[in-house]
Amino acid sequence: MKKAEVAILGASGYTGAELVRLLVTHPGMRIAALSADRKAGMSMGEVFPHLGHLDLPPLQRVEDIDFSGIELVFVALPHGTTQEVIAALPRHVKIVDLSADFRLRDPEDYARWYGHPHLAPELQKEAVYGLPEFYREQLRACRLAAGTGCFVATGLLPLVPLLEAGVIAREDIVIDAKTGITGAGRGASERKLFSEVTEGVDAYNIARHRHTAEFDQELSRAAGAPVRVTFTPHLLPMNRGILATIYVKGDAREIHRVLDERHRPEPFVHVLPLGAEAPQTRHVRGSNLCRIGVTADRIEGRAIIVSVLDNLVKGASGQAVQAANLMLGLPETTGLEAAPLFP
Amino acid sequence: MKKAEVAILGASGYTGAELVRLLVTHPGMRIAALSADRKAGMSMGEVFPHLGHLDLPPLQRVEDIDFSGIELVFVALPHGTTQEVIAALPRHVKIVDLSADFRLRDPEDYARWYGHPHLAPELQKEAVYGLPEFYREQLRACRLAAGTGCFVATGLLPLVPLLEAGVIAREDIVIDAKTGITGAGRGASERKLFSEVTEGVDAYNIARHRHTAEFDQELSRAAGAPVRVTFTPHLLPMNRGILATIYVKGDAREIHRVLDERHRPEPFVHVLPLGAEAPQTRHVRGSNLCRIGVTADRIEGRAIIVSVLDNLVKGASGQAVQAANLMLGLPETTGLEAAPLFP
Amino acid sequence: MKKAEVAILGASGYTGAELVRLLVTHPGMRIAALSADRKAGMSMGEVFPHLGHLDLPPLQRVEDIDFSGIELVFVALPHGTTQEVIAALPRHVKIVDLSADFRLRDPEDYARWYGHPHLAPELQKEAVYGLPEFYREQLRACRLAAGTGCFVATGLLPLVPLLEAGVIAREDIVIDAKTGITGAGRGASERKLFSEVTEGVDAYNIARHRHTAEFDQELSRAAGAPVRVTFTPHLLPMNRGILATIYVKGDAREIHRVLDERHRPEPFVHVLPLGAEAPQTRHVRGSNLCRIGVTADRIEGRAIIVSVLDNLVKGASGQAVQAANLMLGLPETTGLEAAPLFP
Amino acid sequence: MKKAEVAILGASGYTGAELVRLLVTHPGMRIAALSADRKAGMSMGEVFPHLGHLDLPPLQRVEDIDFSGIELVFVALPHGTTQEVIAALPRHVKIVDLSADFRLRDPEDYARWYGHPHLAPELQKEAVYGLPEFYREQLRACRLAAGTGCFVATGLLPLVPLLEAGVIAREDIVIDAKTGITGAGRGASERKLFSEVTEGVDAYNIARHRHTAEFDQELSRAAGAPVRVTFTPHLLPMNRGILATIYVKGDAREIHRVLDERHRPEPFVHVLPLGAEAPQTRHVRGSNLCRIGVTADRIEGRAIIVSVLDNLVKGASGQAVQAANLMLGLPETTGLEAAPLFP
């Protein structure tokens, strides 16, 4: 397999490091450049000692990267800083963006939820929402993929097929999500200290988490009518993993049948048997898998869906590699077959 | 303060040890006897080294305990074994039971959820449901208090006042509960190993957890009409704490007002300001406190309530001591004033 | 018991919050003032929600505190900032300092290990090293107590009696210490993030941790001759607790006999039987206890000593309250009798 | 690459599952059979849901496996049960044993440390100690490899070269080891419950852990003279990883030079620069790497060595695959190149 040269912008964050982890054994891509503005000049091993044994390019500033031989760029920069960086990239490079900057199709939605006008509205028009299970063909053909929010990926994989099939009520969808801390990145803050996170749980950003806008957009599209969900994220004392417990109105058997049929061909989505023991985040750690379970509530006409994935893999960097595989014409699962790390 | 002599049956489990912790500095009770059938003959320090420095009675078999001077007995035995033990206790002793054996008023409910007929239906009639916030006067007068399920205490403290006041819909109540592992006790099982619990989360007993029956009973009573909730427990990598995220239909402002008024006189229930940052389990660890927060959903007419407590204290042993204080005519907060242990 | 009025300077850190936790149920002291320079004007509940239900004085700047009625001040400020603050306190107040600023008797030692000259060398002369087990009488009479390093307390409690008795070699003492993260305080840094601490262990400041200077000082004093130890601290994914594994040359039986005799009258130091299962940090959490175990190595003439305590209690705030009890003429154990929180 | 057919005996334990994880993407081996006596008839997905998406052979009893096409067998059975199972295998299969059953060359050593006579002393004679870094050539030629103890691998990788080179004293070697819980396997016991392991640390089997015998054997061989170490294992609240802090007498610069030269050609052993920040277990998680750091003590002539690896990979299943690669004539690193999973 001839390897495509790729760059990672924002390599000093967790999703950047995870991209490196996934790409160093990827048979179809080669890391040709790494950027990290404030850590330019350092090696990846200085920033991430777990990668210290690898032969990797040094960290550079974006403007010092020679993009001439580079086919595809992963952009793992913070939300809000990405639009201008991507707008300045040469037209020959394909882009997979992991930030929130190109996820919302309507620039007014973006402005409302992110508090400032979109800085690259023209580029937004060509962006494809980056979830391969629902945008596979568009991704094969696109130049710019916008990777999804990690919570949103966890919720959409079960909910989109159900709303498309019309087997659940559009109202009364409650998404109670539990996440590990790595989704919040590596920046230092009191809130994320071990001493403040271990041995406890809390809900945060109740009724106002930004991923809500993405849910609205994609679920309304699937339903062909406006859908607004109740979404509550919780922070748990763990590194990786999101578990979404989703409360819906509909027949559990129908729900399970639709999900099972829709996802059976998917290499990374596994629907467990109806009523089976619910999936655990522990069982997808480090892998690109999403596992989904369906249980009938004791109250007639209601069901509980549990969906799990690793926020750094299927929720971010693995999803990005999957999209990149499509954009580069590689088999979709290339470099993503590793089994979960358990325990 | 003259100290009442008390016994703890089932002292070798976590709730038993927690009773000891709370009682060794309690100015109104003295531990006169401890039982643990399979560990009879051992000292508490051998079973629980953290209590090894204390001067405590040895572990005995129940039948070897001399109850003549004992005023009150805490029963911390496993579910199902308790009815016969309590039925055999001398009539002069008061009893606070921490098991599920006397929580359900209707013996048929008990048989349906626990899989065998109730073995002491006459005693059941005199049992008072052990949550002081709602059964304070009955507890002062009773002989047998039935401590609540830990999940149930977490949910009832916010939901009972709301259903009594009629400010939330009786239908569409979703209780998404997250618990630490100590609620499952000290018995060895693969499921509870560190290696199977750390760094992850899972939902279990979806739509069929036994605490559901207690919710039905107490919430229907509060509403004056049948109430059936959707209840999903989740296991988290932490020792202590339950956080219940409760989705209801009603006006958040009204909901907050009712809770704030109702619980303001309560020494152990604290309702946070409307829309404040949600309470964390970390902030009640080791204490008898329950903290409750209310947030309006972005969807009109819906609210999210977060309720937290320490399952071993307010959810079990602390609640039991609180009930015992009432039954013995002591000030209700005696021995329960310790502040939470954070971090 | 008439309550002495006390103040806590630096109440917004973990040791400050822990002092509050210990003092709110202390029958002999009342918190009359709290300081926190950068958080002046906030309530303790805003800074530490777990204390939000308590009736506490607001956080003030030190210079705004009225010390006229205050008998004793706990100083929980960062290392290096404390000398000038204490020098400026009115002479009538007694002081228990929890920082490193007055621990080293020789100002040159201080300058060498802390990188700047001592700013209050006159005060240093009256400071008493704050470990009650070895400085009880001096503490009763002193004005200024210098609380020990948390690692040092863990190591001195076993080592001082052994060096005094001459039953171990002064050379070849290796102290391999394992600590929870709270010892590093609440300041935000990448190093202390949950994601960087959980699920792993590392050694840090090998051969150059500042507590080494305290070990040198106190162990040399005990031995009556220079003692230099090899000391390596390790960071573990836990909040509270230090476990020191100490490798010494000497007869295990003699070692155990000396420790057992010396510490038998001590209310907070428990020496386990020779060869018993080693003490765990879990078994002292939240308490003022130190537990010590002794085991003979399989190599003749060598022994392994394991010493555990809770770094925030016996290693800091509990030790400080114990010293304050002595300085105020109260029974030494007042307010410190709570049993450990397990699990 | 033509794939060799392999079997895993004892696939229902953690090292068995880890072998599956490593082998499903291994280009040179194919899992042809899996055994698990008590779980025979179940699928791997039922026993380990994280492997539930893979197409794997069902679990069988050993006696039901057809070994005719199988080239190599990994034996991941409990200590003590393995000798007879291996003795009964057909002579054409090569064997990598992960238990302790063939590690000690002297059957009397085995009997002394394991409490019963060796059951296959003839086989013992042909067993090669399974650490490729020191037994590479013998492994290429052998039929039976005996994988090392996980603590022992962590200690030997630094200590063997140093004793061979004579740059450290043979006496006064102290190995203070810290391990995650997975080394203790998946069997249920109170000792290994989450509630008993989280948020704490303890030392166990002080001066009598069985791995001591392996240290004696291999270190004495390296030194050409008897070496007896002081070895203390500690249990930490983490799943994977061992960190050994090793106290030796010798010149740190010499020590570092010897290790650096010896391990520079090794693909899986990385010696950090002298005095660099010590390696962390977090930085090798899930990988076959061992990282080693050397620091001079402040006491002249002493050094502190820190060695880390993942007990389930380089300490067990990864080491076994590495040995199997050699035995099958494959490149040694095949299937083992995955980077560590961090965070």
Side-chain angles (χ1 to χ4, degrees):
Chain A
M1 202 180 273
K2 186 180 159 293
K3 291 192 177 190
E5 309 247 302
V6 302
I8 300 170
L9 308 188
S12 64
Y14 288 145
T15 53
E18 189 72 355
L19 282 166
V20 172
R21 180 179 77 85
L22 294 169
L23 293 179
V24 287
T25 51
H26 193 292
M29 302 189 212
R30 194 185 76 81
I31 300 172
L34 296 171
S35 95
D37 271 20
R38 279 178 307 188
K39 300 195 168 159
M42 296 175 74
S43 70
M44 266 309 259
E46 288 172 282
V47 179
F48 286 110
H50 72 289
L51 302 173
H53 61 296
L54 296 169
D55 185 25
L56 293 167
L59 294 170
Q60 294 176 275
R61 305 201 311 156
V62 177
E63 48 269 47
D64 295 335
I65 293 182
D66 173 6
F67 286 100
S68 56
I70 287 175
E71 225 171 304
L72 186 141
V73 173
F74 294 96
V75 185
L77 296 168
H79 304 313
T81 66
T82 302
Q83 288 154 359
E84 288 178 303
V85 170
I86 289 184
L89 289 175
R91 282 300 300 180
H92 78 272
V93 297
K94 297 179 174 177
I95 301 145
V96 181
D97 181 26
L98 286 79
S99 84
D101 278 17
F102 291 95
R103 292 174 190 161
L104 298 181
R105 281 185 204 95
D106 182 344
E108 286 185 29
D109 268 359
Y110 182 85
R112 188 161 52 251
W113 284 91
Y114 288 88
H116 63 91
H118 200 287
L119 300 173
E122 286 309 303
L123 264 177
Q124 179 63 61
K125 288 178 193 158
E126 57 172 308
V128 170
Y129 195 71
L131 206 51
E133 284 75 9
F134 303 127
Y135 292 89
R136 186 164 282 129
E137 293 316 312
Q138 296 93 314
L139 287 168
R140 280 195 225 275
C142 80
R143 178 179 172 250
L144 169 57
T148 75
C150 50
F151 286 121
V152 191
T154 321
L156 295 186
L157 287 166
L159 285 173
V160 163
L162 299 178
L163 287 166
E164 285 181 353
V167 295
I168 59 170
R170 282 190 291 119
E171 290 175 3
D172 291 328
I173 298 174
V174 172
I175 303 173
D176 189 284
K178 295 91 178 164
T179 185
I181 188 89
T182 53
R186 205 186 199 188
S189 75
E190 181 184 296
R191 181 70 187 81
K192 296 192 286 176
L193 294 180
F194 181 89
S195 41
E196 306 277 325
V197 172
T198 191
E199 281 290 307
V201 56
D202 61 285
Y204 65 98
N205 284 351
I206 301 179
R208 58 189 171 81
H209 193 283
R210 285 164 167 180
H211 285 188
T212 310
E214 266 179 87
F215 275 122
D216 286 358
Q217 168 180 294
E218 296 299 315
L219 296 180
S220 300
R221 185 173 184 272
V227 174
R228 301 179 78 206
V229 298
T230 295
F231 168 56
T232 311
H234 298 77
L235 178 64
L236 267 56
M238 60 187 202
N239 262 338
R240 288 167 180 257
I242 291 178
L243 181 145
T245 312
I246 307 174
Y247 299 89
V248 295
K249 293 188 174 168
D251 179 72
R253 201 166 298 271
E254 274 295 280
I255 288 167
H256 183 265
R257 187 187 53 74
V258 166
L259 288 176
D260 193 41
E261 282 178 19
R262 173 66 175 262
H263 286 308
R264 189 160 305 158
E266 288 299 334
F268 297 120
V269 185
H270 289 264
V271 178
L272 306 184
L274 179 64
E277 221 167 276
Q280 308 190 5
T281 59
R282 300 167 189 95
H283 299 154
V284 295
R285 185 188 304 134
S287 80
N288 200 46
L289 297 170
C290 173
R291 286 204 162 101
I292 300 173
V294 179
T295 309
D297 194 10
R298 61 179 190 134
I299 302 177
E300 192 80 16
R302 301 193 186 179
I304 296 124
I305 301 168
V306 176
S307 175
V308 300
L309 51 70
D310 182 324
N311 56 299
L312 287 182
V313 192
K314 185 63 182 166
S317 303
Q319 185 196 100
V321 170
Q322 191 181 349
N325 284 341
L326 290 167
M327 293 162 74
L328 294 170
L330 300 169
E332 188 173 338
T333 59
T334 312
L336 296 169
E337 297 95 341
L341 192 81
F342 175 87
Chain B
M1 203 179 274
K2 186 180 159 292
K3 291 192 176 188
E5 309 247 303
V6 302
I8 299 170
L9 309 189
S12 64
Y14 287 145
T15 54
E18 189 72 355
L19 283 166
V20 171
R21 180 178 78 85
L22 294 169
L23 294 178
V24 287
T25 51
H26 193 292
M29 304 189 211
R30 196 186 74 82
I31 299 172
L34 295 170
S35 94
D37 273 19
R38 277 177 310 184
K39 300 195 167 158
M42 295 174 75
S43 71
M44 265 310 258
E46 289 172 282
V47 179
F48 285 110
H50 72 289
L51 302 172
H53 60 297
L54 297 169
D55 185 25
L56 292 167
L59 294 170
Q60 294 176 275
R61 304 201 312 156
V62 178
E63 49 268 47
D64 296 336
I65 293 181
D66 173 6
F67 286 100
S68 57
I70 287 174
E71 226 171 301
L72 186 141
V73 173
F74 294 97
V75 184
L77 297 167
H79 305 313
T81 66
T82 302
Q83 289 156 359
E84 288 179 303
V85 170
I86 289 184
L89 290 175
R91 283 298 302 180
H92 78 272
V93 297
K94 296 179 175 177
I95 300 145
V96 181
D97 180 28
L98 285 81
S99 84
D101 278 17
F102 291 96
R103 292 173 190 163
L104 298 181
R105 283 187 204 93
D106 182 344
E108 286 185 29
D109 268 359
Y110 181 85
R112 188 163 51 250
W113 285 90
Y114 288 88
H116 64 92
H118 200 287
L119 301 172
E122 285 311 303
L123 264 178
Q124 179 63 61
K125 288 177 192 159
E126 57 172 308
V128 170
Y129 195 72
L131 205 53
E133 283 75 10
F134 304 128
Y135 291 89
R136 185 164 281 127
E137 292 317 312
Q138 296 93 314
L139 285 169
R140 280 196 225 275
C142 81
R143 179 180 171 249
L144 168 58
T148 76
C150 50
F151 287 120
V152 190
T154 320
L156 295 186
L157 287 166
L159 285 172
V160 163
L162 299 178
L163 286 166
E164 285 180 353
V167 295
I168 58 169
R170 283 190 291 117
E171 289 173 4
D172 291 329
I173 298 173
V174 172
I175 303 173
D176 189 285
K178 296 89 177 164
T179 185
I181 188 90
T182 54
R186 205 185 199 189
S189 75
E190 182 184 295
R191 181 69 187 83
K192 296 192 287 175
L193 295 180
F194 181 88
S195 41
E196 306 277 326
V197 172
T198 190
E199 281 290 307
V201 55
D202 60 286
Y204 65 98
N205 283 351
I206 301 179
R208 58 190 170 78
H209 193 284
R210 285 164 168 180
H211 285 188
T212 310
E214 266 179 87
F215 275 121
D216 286 358
Q217 168 180 293
E218 295 300 314
L219 295 180
S220 299
R221 185 173 185 271
V227 175
R228 303 178 77 204
V229 297
T230 295
F231 168 55
T232 311
H234 299 76
L235 178 64
L236 268 56
M238 62 187 200
N239 262 337
R240 286 166 180 259
I242 290 177
L243 180 146
T245 312
I246 307 175
Y247 300 89
V248 295
K249 294 187 173 167
D251 179 72
R253 201 167 298 271
E254 273 295 280
I255 287 168
H256 183 265
R257 187 188 53 75
V258 167
L259 288 177
D260 193 41
E261 282 178 19
R262 172 66 177 262
H263 286 309
R264 190 161 304 159
E266 289 299 334
F268 297 119
V269 186
H270 290 264
V271 178
L272 306 184
L274 180 63
E277 220 167 279
Q280 308 190 6
T281 58
R282 300 167 190 95
H283 299 154
V284 295
R285 186 187 304 135
S287 81
N288 201 46
L289 296 170
C290 173
R291 287 203 163 101
I292 299 173
V294 179
T295 309
D297 194 9
R298 62 178 188 134
I299 302 176
E300 192 80 16
R302 302 194 185 179
I304 295 124
I305 302 167
V306 176
S307 174
V308 299
L309 51 70
D310 182 326
N311 56 299
L312 287 182
V313 192
K314 187 61 180 165
S317 303
Q319 184 196 103
V321 170
Q322 191 181 348
N325 284 341
L326 291 166
M327 292 163 74
L328 293 170
L330 300 169
E332 188 173 337
T333 59
T334 312
L336 296 169
E337 296 95 342
L341 191 82
F342 175 87
Chain C
M1 202 179 274
K2 186 178 159 293
K3 291 193 175 187
E5 309 247 304
V6 303
I8 300 170
L9 308 188
S12 65
Y14 288 144
T15 53
E18 189 73 355
L19 283 165
V20 172
R21 181 179 77 84
L22 294 169
L23 293 179
V24 287
T25 51
H26 192 291
M29 303 190 212
R30 195 185 75 81
I31 300 172
L34 296 171
S35 94
D37 271 20
R38 278 177 309 185
K39 299 194 169 158
M42 295 175 74
S43 71
M44 266 310 259
E46 289 172 281
V47 179
F48 285 110
H50 73 289
L51 302 172
H53 61 296
L54 296 169
D55 186 26
L56 293 167
L59 295 170
Q60 295 176 275
R61 304 200 312 156
V62 176
E63 48 268 47
D64 296 335
I65 294 182
D66 173 6
F67 287 99
S68 58
I70 287 176
E71 225 171 304
L72 185 140
V73 173
F74 294 97
V75 185
L77 296 168
H79 305 313
T81 68
T82 301
Q83 288 155 0
E84 288 178 302
V85 171
I86 288 184
L89 289 175
R91 283 299 302 180
H92 79 270
V93 297
K94 296 179 172 176
I95 300 145
V96 180
D97 180 27
L98 284 80
S99 83
D101 278 17
F102 292 95
R103 292 175 190 161
L104 298 181
R105 283 187 203 93
D106 182 345
E108 286 185 29
D109 268 358
Y110 181 86
R112 187 161 53 250
W113 284 90
Y114 288 88
H116 64 91
H118 201 286
L119 301 171
E122 285 311 304
L123 264 177
Q124 179 62 62
K125 289 178 192 158
E126 57 172 309
V128 170
Y129 195 71
L131 206 53
E133 285 74 9
F134 303 127
Y135 292 89
R136 186 165 280 129
E137 292 319 311
Q138 296 94 314
L139 286 169
R140 281 195 225 273
C142 81
R143 179 180 170 250
L144 168 57
T148 75
C150 51
F151 286 120
V152 190
T154 321
L156 294 187
L157 287 166
L159 285 172
V160 164
L162 300 178
L163 287 166
E164 285 181 353
V167 294
I168 58 170
R170 282 190 293 118
E171 289 173 5
D172 290 328
I173 298 175
V174 172
I175 303 174
D176 188 284
K178 295 91 177 165
T179 184
I181 188 89
T182 54
R186 205 186 200 189
S189 75
E190 181 184 296
R191 183 67 188 83
K192 296 192 286 176
L193 295 179
F194 181 89
S195 42
E196 306 278 326
V197 173
T198 191
E199 281 290 308
V201 56
D202 60 285
Y204 64 99
N205 283 352
I206 302 179
R208 58 190 170 80
H209 193 285
R210 285 165 167 178
H211 285 188
T212 311
E214 266 180 87
F215 274 122
D216 286 358
Q217 169 180 292
E218 295 300 314
L219 296 180
S220 299
R221 187 173 184 271
V227 174
R228 302 178 78 205
V229 297
T230 294
F231 168 55
T232 312
H234 299 75
L235 178 64
L236 267 55
M238 62 186 200
N239 261 337
R240 287 167 179 259
I242 291 177
L243 180 145
T245 312
I246 306 174
Y247 300 89
V248 294
K249 294 188 173 167
D251 179 71
R253 200 167 298 272
E254 273 295 279
I255 288 169
H256 182 266
R257 188 188 53 74
V258 167
L259 288 176
D260 192 40
E261 281 178 20
R262 172 66 176 261
H263 286 309
R264 191 162 301 160
E266 288 300 333
F268 297 119
V269 185
H270 290 264
V271 178
L272 306 185
L274 179 63
E277 221 168 276
Q280 309 190 6
T281 58
R282 301 168 189 95
H283 298 154
V284 294
R285 185 188 304 135
S287 80
N288 200 46
L289 297 170
C290 173
R291 288 203 161 101
I292 299 171
V294 179
T295 309
D297 193 9
R298 62 177 188 134
I299 303 176
E300 192 79 17
R302 302 192 185 179
I304 296 124
I305 302 168
V306 176
S307 174
V308 299
L309 51 70
D310 182 325
N311 56 300
L312 287 182
V313 192
K314 186 62 180 165
S317 303
Q319 183 196 101
V321 171
Q322 190 181 349
N325 284 340
L326 291 166
M327 292 162 74
L328 293 170
L330 299 169
E332 188 173 337
T333 60
T334 313
L336 295 170
E337 297 95 342
L341 191 82
F342 175 88
Chain D
M1 201 179 276
K2 188 181 157 291
K3 291 193 175 188
E5 309 247 304
V6 303
I8 300 169
L9 309 188
S12 64
Y14 288 145
T15 53
E18 190 72 355
L19 283 166
V20 171
R21 180 178 79 83
L22 294 169
L23 293 179
V24 286
T25 51
H26 193 292
M29 302 189 212
R30 196 186 75 82
I31 300 173
L34 296 171
S35 94
D37 272 19
R38 278 177 309 185
K39 300 195 167 157
M42 295 175 75
S43 71
M44 266 309 259
E46 289 173 280
V47 178
F48 285 110
H50 73 289
L51 302 173
H53 60 297
L54 297 170
D55 185 26
L56 292 167
L59 295 170
Q60 294 176 275
R61 305 203 309 157
V62 177
E63 48 268 46
D64 296 336
I65 293 182
D66 173 6
F67 286 100
S68 56
I70 288 175
E71 226 171 305
L72 185 141
V73 173
F74 294 97
V75 185
L77 297 168
H79 305 313
T81 67
T82 301
Q83 288 154 0
E84 287 177 302
V85 170
I86 289 183
L89 289 175
R91 283 299 302 180
H92 78 271
V93 298
K94 296 178 173 178
I95 300 146
V96 180
D97 180 27
L98 285 80
S99 83
D101 279 17
F102 291 96
R103 293 174 189 160
L104 299 181
R105 282 187 203 93
D106 182 345
E108 286 186 28
D109 268 359
Y110 181 85
R112 185 162 55 250
W113 284 90
Y114 287 88
H116 64 93
H118 201 286
L119 300 172
E122 287 309 304
L123 265 177
Q124 180 63 61
K125 288 177 193 159
E126 57 173 310
V128 170
Y129 195 72
L131 206 52
E133 284 75 9
F134 304 126
Y135 291 89
R136 185 164 281 130
E137 293 316 311
Q138 297 92 317
L139 286 169
R140 280 194 225 275
C142 81
R143 179 179 170 250
L144 168 58
T148 75
C150 50
F151 286 121
V152 190
T154 320
L156 295 187
L157 287 166
L159 285 173
V160 163
L162 300 178
L163 287 166
E164 285 180 353
V167 294
I168 58 170
R170 282 191 292 117
E171 289 173 5
D172 291 328
I173 298 173
V174 172
I175 304 173
D176 188 285
K178 297 89 176 164
T179 185
I181 188 88
T182 53
R186 205 186 198 188
S189 75
E190 182 183 295
R191 182 69 187 82
K192 296 191 287 175
L193 295 179
F194 181 89
S195 41
E196 307 276 326
V197 172
T198 190
E199 282 290 307
V201 55
D202 61 285
Y204 65 99
N205 284 353
I206 301 179
R208 58 189 170 80
H209 193 285
R210 285 165 167 178
H211 285 186
T212 311
E214 266 179 87
F215 274 121
D216 286 359
Q217 168 180 293
E218 296 299 315
L219 296 180
S220 299
R221 186 172 183 273
V227 174
R228 301 178 78 206
V229 297
T230 295
F231 168 56
T232 312
H234 298 75
L235 179 64
L236 267 56
M238 61 187 200
N239 262 337
R240 287 168 180 257
I242 292 177
L243 181 146
T245 313
I246 307 175
Y247 299 89
V248 295
K249 293 188 173 166
D251 179 71
R253 200 168 298 271
E254 273 296 280
I255 288 169
H256 183 265
R257 188 188 52 74
V258 167
L259 288 177
D260 193 40
E261 282 177 15
R262 173 65 176 262
H263 286 309
R264 189 161 302 159
E266 288 299 335
F268 297 120
V269 185
H270 290 265
V271 178
L272 306 184
L274 180 63
E277 221 167 276
Q280 308 191 5
T281 59
R282 301 166 190 95
H283 298 155
V284 295
R285 185 188 304 134
S287 80
N288 200 47
L289 297 170
C290 173
R291 286 204 162 100
I292 299 172
V294 180
T295 309
D297 194 9
R298 62 178 187 133
I299 303 176
E300 192 81 17
R302 301 192 187 181
I304 296 124
I305 302 167
V306 175
S307 174
V308 299
L309 50 72
D310 181 326
N311 56 300
L312 287 182
V313 192
K314 186 62 180 164
S317 303
Q319 184 196 100
V321 170
Q322 190 180 348
N325 284 341
L326 291 167
M327 292 162 75
L328 293 170
L330 300 168
E332 187 173 338
T333 60
T334 311
L336 296 170
E337 297 94 341
L341 191 82
F342 174 87

